Amino acid sequence: MSDKRGELRTAFRARIVLKHPEVGEYEVATRDMSNTGLFLVWVEPLDLKVGDTITVQTLDIEDAPIISALIVRVETGGFAVTYVFDE
């Protein structure tokens, strides 16, 4: 099986708050990151699906930026997002 991800992923642990307009606000953790996105792990599955847009913000840095992200993959233990930046 080939890996379709084009970016190098780095193991990275951080606490993240995610917000979704219908699902609400939750604290999750990162598993890894790349230049274009994150993999987020959850304790209990959330009602999120591929194509949903969320915002993410690290809780480990004071006044960290809030970043929009698009869910691109959902697995048993979490989900992958790609950053969405306004041009």
Side-chain angles (χ1 to χ4, degrees), residues 7 10 21 42-43 59 66 72 74 84:
E7 294 288 330
T10 303
W42 51 39
V43 175
L59 297 171
I66 298 170
V72 294
V74 177
V84 177

Side-chain angles (χ1 to χ4, degrees), residues 12-18 26-33 38-46 48 54 56 73-81:
F12 176 71
R13 302 286 186 256
R15 296 175 310 125
I16 301 288
V17 62
L18 78 81
Y26 291 89
E27 186 174 325
V28 295
T30 59
R31 179 180 77 189
D32 57 51
M33 67 179 293
L38 298 167
F39 189 91
L40 301 169
V41 294
W42 51 39
V43 175
E44 294 182 26
L46 302 174
L48 300 171
I54 62 172
V56 293
R73 191 174 75 254
V74 177
E75 298 178 1
T76 302
F79 56 100
V81 300

